[in-house]
Amino acid sequence: MCDLTGRVAIISGAASGIGAATARTFARAGADVVLGWFPGDPHDVEQVRDSVAAAGRQVVVHELDVSSTASVDAFARSAIDSFGRIDVVVANAGIARTVPSLELTDQAWNQVVEVNLLGVWRCFRAALPYMQEAGYGRLLATSSVAGTVQCWTEHAHYTAAKAGIVGLVRSLAIEFGKHGITVNVVAPGVIESPQSLDPINSLGAEGVAAAGRGSPVGRVGRPEDIASLYLYLASEAASFMNGQLLVMDGGRSLVVSD
């Protein structure tokens, strides 16, 4: 049922982690993919490109800075120029920065919100006219358990942005459902990825391992776990799913800490 044959997906933050896994998963399900790659990202987007091509799908790599409207608009346009359509947006690009709240300047706040919240909106806004004309679309965003069902100390700007995505998704779901466009958001828990393994701005390897030990399922998430959920949401199987926040954390948010 989760078949994306003939669909075109654009994915931000596609060089590693959840974005890369989603690109590979979508390609195996039949989608052609445009990979949004931030030039400052040290991860090799060419490996992702090769994986999509190996699945027999067409793939475009496009430089993308989600804090720039012009960059995001060009990203969406590249899908239209290459494939003539945009069926699915996965607004996944995000950053985390550890800053004690009383040291959180406007500049530091804005940097994270620009990427994590406004970046989602820019990706959605750029695709919506094409989707509305086609009468079909799937808008998907990556939030976090931090800011939705849990908190994260010294990350007030991050949690505020991730919470804001939920409000954005719900509003757009109501506004654009009549055009055949559904909008949903996934809140991952701890996923073993380059971001979570960062010992300065996130948990680091030891923190990730501890989160796994504290999970009801005995492990942290893998990028492929989230990619599988995105595949469902992008498919016809989820055609009646709209405006929803789906938490995927192995049940960790249900655990009461001592």
Side-chain angles (χ1 to χ4, degrees):
M1 292 179 65
C2 297
D3 180 21
L4 299 184
T5 300
R7 299 299 187 191
V8 173
I10 66 174
I11 304 170
S12 67
S16 64
I18 292 170
T22 300
R24 295 183 176 107
T25 299
F26 280 15
R28 288 193 294 268
D32 297 321
V33 183
V34 180
L35 307 173
W37 168 68
F38 182 64
D41 190 330
H43 301 96
D44 187 4
V45 72
E46 295 302 321
Q47 293 185 4
V48 187
R49 181 212 294 262
D50 291 347
S51 297
V52 172
R57 305 315 309 165
Q58 298 183 71
V59 55
V60 172
V61 174
H62 192 91
E63 291 189 8
L64 174 64
D65 178 0
V66 296
S67 68
S68 164
T69 294
S71 179
V72 174
D73 287 349
F75 174 54
R77 186 69 215 178
S78 70
I80 299 300
D81 291 342
S82 299
F83 303 115
R85 59 193 298 163
I86 300 173
D87 299 297
V88 183
V89 176
V90 181
N92 170 72
I95 57 173
R97 298 290 184 267
T98 300
V99 185
S101 293
L102 293 182
E103 300 174 15
L104 189 52
T105 64
D106 288 356
Q107 181 179 5
W109 176 279
N110 290 339
Q111 179 191 24
V112 168
V113 173
E114 277 283 350
V115 172
N116 291 3
L117 177 56
L118 293 182
V120 171
W121 167 233
R122 290 185 181 101
C123 289
F124 286 178
R125 181 177 61 191
L128 272 167
Y130 305 115
M131 290 181 167
Q132 192 168 355
E133 182 178 359
Y136 179 91
R138 299 282 187 266
L139 298 177
L140 306 172
T142 303
S143 179
S144 172
V145 292
T148 54
V149 296
Q150 290 184 313
C151 61
W152 194 7
T153 186
E154 299 187 338
H155 287 79
H157 47 345
Y158 179 92
T159 57
K162 292 298 189 179
I165 294 171
V166 179
L168 172 65
V169 161
R170 288 172 174 166
S171 180
L172 296 179
I174 295 172
E175 186 172 354
F176 290 96
K178 62 180 175 289
H179 298 289
I181 301 167
T182 61
V183 195
N184 292 289
V185 53
V186 174
V190 178
I191 305 299
E192 188 169 0
S193 68
Q195 179 170 290
S196 67
L197 292 169
D198 178 352
I200 296 174
N201 293 303
S202 192
L203 301 178
E206 291 185 4
V208 169
R213 291 191 297 271
S215 170
V217 298
R219 67 172 177 89
V220 296
R222 306 180 184 98
E224 291 77 15
D225 294 323
I226 307 302
S228 294
L229 181 54
Y230 275 141
L231 174 60
Y232 165 70
L233 293 172
S235 74
E236 287 305 299
S239 62
F240 200 54
M241 181 78 72
N242 190 31
Q244 300 305 305
L245 167 66
L246 289 86
V247 175
M248 196 176 206
D249 71 344
R252 182 67 182 84
S253 59
L254 304 176
V255 176
V256 178
S257 300
D258 293 332

